[in-house]
Amino acid sequence: MNETKKAALKIGILEGDDIGHEVVPASVRIAKAAAEAAGMAIDWVDVPIGRRALDTHGFTMPEGTLDTLGALDGWILGPIGHREYPKIPEAINPHPILRKRFDLFANVRPTRSFPGIGCLHEGIDMVIVRENNEGFQPDRNVVAGSGEFRPTHDVTISVRVITVEGSSKVARAAFEIARSREKRLTLVHKNTVYKLGCGMFVDACYAVAKEFPDVEVDEVIVDTMALRLVREPQRFDTVVTTNMFGDILTDEAAGLVGGLGMAPGLCIGRGSIAMAQATHGSAPDIAGKGIANPYAMIESTRMLFDWMGHNRKMDAALEMSRIMKSGIDAALADPATRTPDIRGTGTQADMVEGILRGMEKAVAHA
Ligand code: ATP
């Protein structure tokens, strides 16, 4: 037990843009406090990325960043405001490169309701596992060029890539998550229309299902899923779907529980590297105002340590996750330690302090 507690992790800090400069440092502060309480030694490594990296290193994804990341156990990635980048070759969107290079093929996005914060339903506790590296996303479904092109002025063609390998990998990740939860997995697709693409995805999921006979599987067509999520989200436990459907449904799910500030995520792959990345963008409209909800980024960070704990059998990382959860739950229970987007009267700083106090209490009473 003590041996595990002393094991060190190397974790990268990539602030990203806009509110990333607020919510990422907040998450690191909370993780550091949890690590100290859990007796976990972590090396924190600052890695330049995004607009500030463009200013300091001449590139939004500076040379050497990928090698630095490859030597880490995982990292916390803040939101990237690439739409505001100047239109120059040095200002690229790093997301697809990171996900591809580290084979982070599954984007795990939980949705949970908390009382008093403006959720549309009580009792939601669901995880959507979104395929991350293929599908309709034109910047990541081909190795060169783009999956979207315009052969004539009035014709645009968007290519959707579905592979047996990509579908099987995300399915296996989803089955494993389902097995650790209520052992129920819903496949979301539209094989009624996309007979080949969604058909391949569904077939691959059922092939993987044979390895998980203890997990009950059902299927919902994506448009029906959009409707059922609004009406009866409590019916779902673990959901797996292709990239673009997952992109849309996870924002819808966030809307059910208080908005994008309540939508955390963890990108995982086959290896032992994982990347904490909230669902939200860089929210330039509220950057610098001290009101961005840090929950999504902090919870993503907690998920990173929870995953490290399970994946690498590190008790101290699991303890960090438990301590962080106590603090987060305590802060969310009090309007004074919640941001305005979730019916709070506090600021981001109040929420962070509330989480830290909740963690201290949890440690003191342990
Ligand atoms: P992207 O396409 O890059 O994901 P987006 O178009 O979804 O970005 P966001 O930057 O996520 O846009 O912002 C959408 C809205 O949600 C904005 O009004 C923003 O202020 C709000 N928002 C996003 N994140 C948060 C947060 N953490 N706390 C409070 N509000 C947020």
Side-chain angles (χ1 to χ4, degrees), residues 19 83 260-261 280-283 285-286 292-293 341:
I19 64 166
R83 273 179 291 182
L260 285 171
H280 61 72
S282 66
D285 54 329
I286 54 167
N293 183 349
D341 57 310

